[in-house]
Amino acid sequence: MQPTNTRDPDYYHKVVDCQWACPAHTDVPEYLRLIALGKYSDAYMVNRESNVFPGILGRVCDRPCEPACRRGRVEEKPVAICRSKRVAADLRDDITPRLPKAPAKKNGKRVACIGAGPATLTVANDLLPIGYEVVIFEQYAIAGGLMRTNIPSFRLPAKVLDEEIGYVIGMGADLRLGSPVASMRKLLDQGGFDAVFVGTGAPKGKELKLPGRNDTDRIHIGIAWLESVAFEHVDKIGERVLIIGVGNTAMDCCRTSLRLGAKSVKVMARKPRGFFKASEWELEDAEEENVEIIVNHAPKAFVVADGKLQGMNFERIEYVMDGTDIKDQRVVEEVFIPCDDVILAIGQENAFPWVERDLGIEFDKWDVPKIDKASYQSTRPGVFFGGDAAFGPKNIIWAVEHGHQAAISIHKHCVGTPLDERMPRGVNLQSRKVGMNEWSYKNDYDASARRLMPHVSLKDRFKRLNIEVELGFDAGRAAEEVSRCLNCDIQTVFHASLCIECDACIDICPTDCLTITTNGDEQDVVTRLKAPRLNPDQPLFVSGPLKQTSRVMIKDEDLCVHCGLCAERCPTDAWEMQKSWIKIPYAEDEARCQSEPALRRA
Amino acid sequence: MSFISKPKVANPSLPSNELGLNRRDYEGSMSTLCAGCGHDSVTAAIVQAAYELALPPQSVVKLSGIGCSSKTTAYFVAGAHGFNAVHGRMPSIATGANAANRNLRYIGVSGDGDSLSIGVGQLAHVIRRNLDMVYILENNGVYGLTKGQFSASADIGTKSKKGEANEQEPIDPVLLALALGASFVARSFSGDKEQLVPLIKAGLSHSGFAIIDVLSPCVTFNDHEGSTKSYAYVREHSEAPVAADYVAPQREISVSYAPGELLPVTMHDGSSVLLRKLDPDYDPTDRAQAAAYVQERAMRNEYVTGLIYVDQKRRDFHARANTTDAALNSVPFERLCPGAAKLPRILASFR
Ligand SMILES: Cc1cc2nc3c(=O)[nH]c(=O)nc-3n(C[C@H](O)[C@H](O)[C@H](O)COP(=O)(O)OP(=O)(O)OC[C@H]3O[C@@H](n4cnc5c(N)ncnc54)[C@H](O)[C@@H]3O)c2cc1C
Ligand SMILES: Cc1ncc(C[n+]2csc(CCOP(=O)(O)OP(=O)(O)O)c2C)c(N)n1
Ligand code: SF4
Ligand code: SF4
Ligand code: SF4
Ligand SMILES: [Mg+2]
């Protein structure tokens, strides 16, 4: 095998599993260490740089980082990354002086953002400090998008939204509430904007066209219903509620129903549990509130008598499973389940009735706009899409990442440089050695188990709609939890020319990551690893030839616990522990490296 | 020295042996030796061998003298019995322990100073006794623990860290053992576990005294240029006339071989050691030839490694002394101690 090119910024980045999995590449281990030190404001700012909304995301992020977390591979449960983020937000001091500020002198460029959800807010966050004028058009009287209108306040309190949205708007965005954009043509023709960003989300809830659908007003579309609850147009529901679908929206609908007077809530699932779209933790939270999840029931008809919804008919299905795959299925019987209300939570779509189809903004055969996956530009130069509006419903952290990338594109568009010539990511490394066997990070493996999140008691939490259920970690519990982090960003850096092949590192490594063996092609080499390669997606490091025998040092990054013992036991410092910083470029970095003349020309 | 101990967390794919123990279960406490010390690799090889042989930890006795090498008994098989003797006196303690309980496995770990300087007299006699044990001599050419003075295994002309050359004749433990009639003589290198682990397993299965001279570089005091016990020098100057593979009892010998090329040796416990001849003229059962071969190579500055000599027929200490099969702690007191009344009769039998 060829020696691994560790200068490729992706090499060490991949080792930091959480950061690699995070769409916005938050430097998780760095902020977890700051939390351990009690430096909550610093931890908040590290978060904010990449994910913009630490307080919001620390509560409701989809947390793709946690299933990816290395800790989950060496033991059962990952680090509670998300809830630790909340601690940084909860315990921070006033950080307003540390926020980026818009310059007094603007650059003369105007950008329109449609919709005030997280995607738009990120675009504004990135463009305002480099001198753009940002005008945000929002149809409703309040900003936040689905975070405000759909995520229930018992998961995400309004105060947290107000604060973090306020930070962005406070930089000088021109937020125009109650201003729906009804015509893209008009905006493009008369707005006088240099670029337009569409962050209008995926506002259309999917329908379930079954007999009886239009015979009653007690069948609701989940996202529209949640929105009505958020705006206080709806404040009660019947005693028996059926929720159709088991995604995250369904979980919010069932828990909200319980707070509006429902006594019995059943979530009806077509398939077995392994096929649920909802995250494991959302299911747990719902079941803790005694929501019943009924599997293998396919909706057949709404039963309406005398103009009143009586219930629903379902087909009960039996599945023949082959491991985790469905091999066959058959209908066993038809069952009637009585109810007073039905909430449909079977998905959402983006919809653009206000975008004329002759503006050069092309749509595909499903009526979805054609968006470039790297630049987020539509087929009309200067018109960008991001968040759920771009590729359909995702989540907040993806909306943030789209926003960052779109901001870079908007800047490049405005200064007239090619959108595809983007600054590459970079990596910086710095030794963490502070003494013979001393490191400026805690390298001792902490064997303790994941801390549980304390909740408001079942007795108290239903008293008001907006009682936040999760209490958050206190400082002590947070310090304990973050010390479970393995510091995956403290990298093992190898210098082949120093190795004397003493085997000390091989012998000490607790998880058998290291091997010295003769080189060969990958298939051949992996058969000689000290431990089998369990996870081929994880990087394999291969050194250049070693001095004494021309063999190579191989490291399977998969299970390294970053204990630093290889470096401690190495007599020649051939292994070193170095902190990696993955440099993720933002619009601000693009602006800084932009040459002055180019700016003027544009 | 590391301040943290090796995390208990292990690779989930780590296999277990017949006892349900994995390799990590055969580790001991954290080494306090210098980073990169050859002795730590020998420790790792012992751990591997004990795991692969599925030794019940409580059936193992670890014995040593004084020196960095002698410290290492603390670093493997935490559940074993152990005794740190005074400098060079481990063979006496081993003899006493083995006399009292022949049913345990005895692993002695010593250094070139412990064995060849202060303890050479003890070593000589334990070899002659053919005591059933594995004696691992971690040979680095210096007194590591007392900061690098030449030991009795230092070669003529080898240089100290400060540059002085040694002028005294070295004692080669392999030649010493051959001369004194050891029944299992091997040499290996701490940096070559593929060779060392099967040798330790074979030594543990051998009935009688098995000595393994392991060249085990001292990174701090004897790994410089001009040293004949450095990693680089040993790698450059080692050669094995035979390769030894260990085959557990009840396992079929599955390799096919041309006659004369491979020599299976059946051990006392039913296991076998397959000796693959790398030098077709070498015969590891011919004591005189082995000694001549080692000596001749030594003159050419070469270390002969591998299983150099093995003799399965020589009777061990217990067989010669015609002792009871049982461990003495399982023999009823009345039988163990005939009592004052019987003493005159016993004495009379010697008249
Ligand atoms: C019930 C539910 C629960 C969810 N829970 C989570 C969760 O726990 N964690 C998570 O990460 N994600 C969650 N999501 C998804 C997440 O909320 C969205 O992915 C995210 O908000 C998308 O952000 P966005 O900026 O693209 O658009 P949105 O948040 O949808 O914002 C779009 C904004 O545009 C406005 N708008 C639309 N059209 C126009 C127009 N023509 N003119 C002016 N304004 C307009 C809308 O009013 C809205 O304010 C959830 C979604 C739902 C439905
Ligand atoms: C009776 C006695 N004499 C001298 C010493 C000092 N001493 C301690 S270790 C040692 C030499 C150890 O050398 P070696 O056996 O080669 O072990 P190494 O440290 O090299 O592994 C000596 C001379 C002692 N401890 N006891
Ligand atoms: S152990 Fe820490 S650094 Fe590693 S993936 Fe988990 S949270 Fe990230
Ligand atoms: S830091 Fe080194 S010793 Fe520790 S697990 Fe990783 S490779 Fe192994
Ligand atoms: S401990 Fe250092 S010198 Fe020894 S094998 Fe490992 S990297 Fe090489
Ligand atoms: Mg020594």
Side-chain angles (χ1 to χ4, degrees), chain A residues 166-184:
Chain A
Y167 291 158
V168 177
I169 305 300
M171 285 179 214
D174 179 356
L175 173 63
R176 303 190 187 166
L177 295 170
S179 312
V181 173
S183 162
M184 182 65 126

PDB file of all heavy atoms in Angstrom, chain A residues 166-184:
ATOM      1  N   GLY A 166     -32.195  36.348  17.948  1.00  0.00           N
ATOM      2  CA  GLY A 166     -31.883  37.750  18.225  1.00  0.00           C
ATOM      3  C   GLY A 166     -30.416  38.090  17.939  1.00  0.00           C
ATOM      4  O   GLY A 166     -30.105  39.184  17.457  1.00  0.00           O
ATOM      5  N   TYR A 167     -29.528  37.170  18.240  1.00  0.00           N
ATOM      6  CA  TYR A 167     -28.099  37.431  17.969  1.00  0.00           C
ATOM      7  C   TYR A 167     -27.867  37.746  16.490  1.00  0.00           C
ATOM      8  O   TYR A 167     -27.075  38.610  16.140  1.00  0.00           O
ATOM      9  CB  TYR A 167     -27.246  36.199  18.331  1.00  0.00           C
ATOM     10  CG  TYR A 167     -27.145  35.891  19.800  1.00  0.00           C
ATOM     11  CD1 TYR A 167     -26.808  34.606  20.232  1.00  0.00           C
ATOM     12  CD2 TYR A 167     -27.361  36.878  20.770  1.00  0.00           C
ATOM     13  CE1 TYR A 167     -26.696  34.301  21.573  1.00  0.00           C
ATOM     14  CE2 TYR A 167     -27.255  36.583  22.123  1.00  0.00           C
ATOM     15  CZ  TYR A 167     -26.923  35.287  22.525  1.00  0.00           C
ATOM     16  OH  TYR A 167     -26.812  34.989  23.849  1.00  0.00           O
ATOM     17  N   VAL A 168     -28.573  36.990  15.619  1.00  0.00           N
ATOM     18  CA  VAL A 168     -28.365  37.172  14.174  1.00  0.00           C
ATOM     19  C   VAL A 168     -29.031  38.466  13.710  1.00  0.00           C
ATOM     20  O   VAL A 168     -28.405  39.302  13.047  1.00  0.00           O
ATOM     21  CB  VAL A 168     -28.923  35.969  13.385  1.00  0.00           C
ATOM     22  CG1 VAL A 168     -28.771  36.196  11.887  1.00  0.00           C
ATOM     23  CG2 VAL A 168     -28.211  34.689  13.808  1.00  0.00           C
ATOM     24  N   ILE A 169     -30.297  38.607  14.089  1.00  0.00           N
ATOM     25  CA  ILE A 169     -31.022  39.797  13.644  1.00  0.00           C
ATOM     26  C   ILE A 169     -30.330  41.056  14.179  1.00  0.00           C
ATOM     27  O   ILE A 169     -30.221  42.078  13.499  1.00  0.00           O
ATOM     28  CB  ILE A 169     -32.498  39.747  14.121  1.00  0.00           C
ATOM     29  CG1 ILE A 169     -33.168  38.439  13.646  1.00  0.00           C
ATOM     30  CG2 ILE A 169     -33.272  40.967  13.651  1.00  0.00           C
ATOM     31  CD1 ILE A 169     -33.207  38.240  12.151  1.00  0.00           C
ATOM     32  N   GLY A 170     -29.796  40.909  15.402  1.00  0.00           N
ATOM     33  CA  GLY A 170     -29.134  42.040  16.053  1.00  0.00           C
ATOM     34  C   GLY A 170     -27.893  42.535  15.315  1.00  0.00           C
ATOM     35  O   GLY A 170     -27.415  43.644  15.557  1.00  0.00           O
ATOM     36  N   MET A 171     -27.354  41.723  14.433  1.00  0.00           N
ATOM     37  CA  MET A 171     -26.201  42.177  13.643  1.00  0.00           C
ATOM     38  C   MET A 171     -26.617  43.174  12.573  1.00  0.00           C
ATOM     39  O   MET A 171     -25.776  43.688  11.835  1.00  0.00           O
ATOM     40  CB  MET A 171     -25.528  40.988  12.950  1.00  0.00           C
ATOM     41  CG  MET A 171     -24.717  40.109  13.851  1.00  0.00           C
ATOM     42  SD  MET A 171     -24.060  38.772  12.821  1.00  0.00           S
ATOM     43  CE  MET A 171     -24.083  37.441  13.970  1.00  0.00           C
ATOM     44  N   GLY A 172     -27.933  43.372  12.450  1.00  0.00           N
ATOM     45  CA  GLY A 172     -28.377  44.396  11.508  1.00  0.00           C
ATOM     46  C   GLY A 172     -29.134  43.855  10.313  1.00  0.00           C
ATOM     47  O   GLY A 172     -29.200  44.525   9.272  1.00  0.00           O
ATOM     48  N   ALA A 173     -29.738  42.660  10.458  1.00  0.00           N
ATOM     49  CA  ALA A 173     -30.561  42.166   9.348  1.00  0.00           C
ATOM     50  C   ALA A 173     -31.829  43.013   9.253  1.00  0.00           C
ATOM     51  O   ALA A 173     -32.354  43.476  10.263  1.00  0.00           O
ATOM     52  CB  ALA A 173     -30.925  40.704   9.575  1.00  0.00           C
ATOM     53  N   ASP A 174     -32.289  43.194   8.042  1.00  0.00           N
ATOM     54  CA  ASP A 174     -33.544  43.925   7.821  1.00  0.00           C
ATOM     55  C   ASP A 174     -34.655  42.885   7.756  1.00  0.00           C
ATOM     56  O   ASP A 174     -34.954  42.328   6.715  1.00  0.00           O
ATOM     57  CB  ASP A 174     -33.408  44.712   6.509  1.00  0.00           C
ATOM     58  CG  ASP A 174     -34.662  45.494   6.179  1.00  0.00           C
ATOM     59  OD1 ASP A 174     -35.665  45.373   6.932  1.00  0.00           O
ATOM     60  OD2 ASP A 174     -34.636  46.219   5.170  1.00  0.00           O
ATOM     61  N   LEU A 175     -35.242  42.570   8.929  1.00  0.00           N
ATOM     62  CA  LEU A 175     -36.229  41.501   9.021  1.00  0.00           C
ATOM     63  C   LEU A 175     -37.615  42.072   8.773  1.00  0.00           C
ATOM     64  O   LEU A 175     -38.087  42.932   9.516  1.00  0.00           O
ATOM     65  CB  LEU A 175     -36.163  40.846  10.414  1.00  0.00           C
ATOM     66  CG  LEU A 175     -37.242  39.811  10.739  1.00  0.00           C
ATOM     67  CD1 LEU A 175     -37.163  38.606   9.816  1.00  0.00           C
ATOM     68  CD2 LEU A 175     -37.122  39.351  12.194  1.00  0.00           C
ATOM     69  N   ARG A 176     -38.251  41.587   7.716  1.00  0.00           N
ATOM     70  CA  ARG A 176     -39.595  42.095   7.394  1.00  0.00           C
ATOM     71  C   ARG A 176     -40.608  41.000   7.661  1.00  0.00           C
ATOM     72  O   ARG A 176     -40.821  40.092   6.844  1.00  0.00           O
ATOM     73  CB  ARG A 176     -39.647  42.541   5.939  1.00  0.00           C
ATOM     74  CG  ARG A 176     -38.579  43.602   5.684  1.00  0.00           C
ATOM     75  CD  ARG A 176     -38.734  44.259   4.352  1.00  0.00           C
ATOM     76  NE  ARG A 176     -37.581  45.141   4.111  1.00  0.00           N
ATOM     77  CZ  ARG A 176     -37.283  45.655   2.929  1.00  0.00           C
ATOM     78  NH1 ARG A 176     -38.043  45.381   1.888  1.00  0.00           N
ATOM     79  NH2 ARG A 176     -36.232  46.438   2.792  1.00  0.00           N
ATOM     80  N   LEU A 177     -41.223  41.087   8.851  1.00  0.00           N
ATOM     81  CA  LEU A 177     -42.188  40.070   9.256  1.00  0.00           C
ATOM     82  C   LEU A 177     -43.520  40.351   8.569  1.00  0.00           C
ATOM     83  O   LEU A 177     -43.786  41.477   8.122  1.00  0.00           O
ATOM     84  CB  LEU A 177     -42.350  40.075  10.772  1.00  0.00           C
ATOM     85  CG  LEU A 177     -41.089  39.663  11.536  1.00  0.00           C
ATOM     86  CD1 LEU A 177     -41.255  39.917  13.026  1.00  0.00           C
ATOM     87  CD2 LEU A 177     -40.737  38.211  11.277  1.00  0.00           C
ATOM     88  N   GLY A 178     -44.352  39.318   8.503  1.00  0.00           N
ATOM     89  CA  GLY A 178     -45.659  39.468   7.859  1.00  0.00           C
ATOM     90  C   GLY A 178     -45.516  39.854   6.398  1.00  0.00           C
ATOM     91  O   GLY A 178     -46.343  40.567   5.840  1.00  0.00           O
ATOM     92  N   SER A 179     -44.455  39.423   5.762  1.00  0.00           N
ATOM     93  CA  SER A 179     -44.190  39.797   4.368  1.00  0.00           C
ATOM     94  C   SER A 179     -43.994  38.569   3.495  1.00  0.00           C
ATOM     95  O   SER A 179     -42.872  38.241   3.116  1.00  0.00           O
ATOM     96  CB  SER A 179     -42.929  40.668   4.267  1.00  0.00           C
ATOM     97  OG  SER A 179     -42.956  41.698   5.215  1.00  0.00           O
ATOM     98  N   PRO A 180     -45.081  37.871   3.166  1.00  0.00           N
ATOM     99  CA  PRO A 180     -44.909  36.728   2.277  1.00  0.00           C
ATOM    100  C   PRO A 180     -44.468  37.187   0.889  1.00  0.00           C
ATOM    101  O   PRO A 180     -44.919  38.229   0.420  1.00  0.00           O
ATOM    102  CB  PRO A 180     -46.307  36.105   2.226  1.00  0.00           C
ATOM    103  CG  PRO A 180     -47.242  37.167   2.688  1.00  0.00           C
ATOM    104  CD  PRO A 180     -46.475  38.106   3.568  1.00  0.00           C
ATOM    105  N   VAL A 181     -43.572  36.433   0.310  1.00  0.00           N
ATOM    106  CA  VAL A 181     -43.200  36.730  -1.068  1.00  0.00           C
ATOM    107  C   VAL A 181     -44.178  35.972  -1.945  1.00  0.00           C
ATOM    108  O   VAL A 181     -44.226  34.745  -1.925  1.00  0.00           O
ATOM    109  CB  VAL A 181     -41.742  36.304  -1.352  1.00  0.00           C
ATOM    110  CG1 VAL A 181     -41.411  36.447  -2.834  1.00  0.00           C
ATOM    111  CG2 VAL A 181     -40.791  37.128  -0.502  1.00  0.00           C
ATOM    112  N   ALA A 182     -44.977  36.699  -2.697  1.00  0.00           N
ATOM    113  CA  ALA A 182     -46.016  36.061  -3.491  1.00  0.00           C
ATOM    114  C   ALA A 182     -45.576  35.846  -4.928  1.00  0.00           C
ATOM    115  O   ALA A 182     -46.166  35.057  -5.655  1.00  0.00           O
ATOM    116  CB  ALA A 182     -47.298  36.901  -3.457  1.00  0.00           C
ATOM    117  N   SER A 183     -44.534  36.553  -5.327  1.00  0.00           N
ATOM    118  CA  SER A 183     -44.063  36.403  -6.705  1.00  0.00           C
ATOM    119  C   SER A 183     -42.555  36.556  -6.754  1.00  0.00           C
ATOM    120  O   SER A 183     -42.000  37.601  -6.413  1.00  0.00           O
ATOM    121  CB  SER A 183     -44.709  37.466  -7.602  1.00  0.00           C
ATOM    122  OG  SER A 183     -43.965  37.600  -8.796  1.00  0.00           O
ATOM    123  N   MET A 184     -41.923  35.512  -7.210  1.00  0.00           N
ATOM    124  CA  MET A 184     -40.475  35.561  -7.352  1.00  0.00           C
ATOM    125  C   MET A 184     -40.106  36.563  -8.448  1.00  0.00           C
ATOM    126  O   MET A 184     -39.139  37.296  -8.354  1.00  0.00           O
ATOM    127  CB  MET A 184     -39.951  34.165  -7.705  1.00  0.00           C
ATOM    128  CG  MET A 184     -38.450  34.102  -7.831  1.00  0.00           C
ATOM    129  SD  MET A 184     -37.604  34.420  -6.265  1.00  0.00           S
ATOM    130  CE  MET A 184     -36.598  32.975  -6.166  1.00  0.00           C
TER     131      MET A 184
END
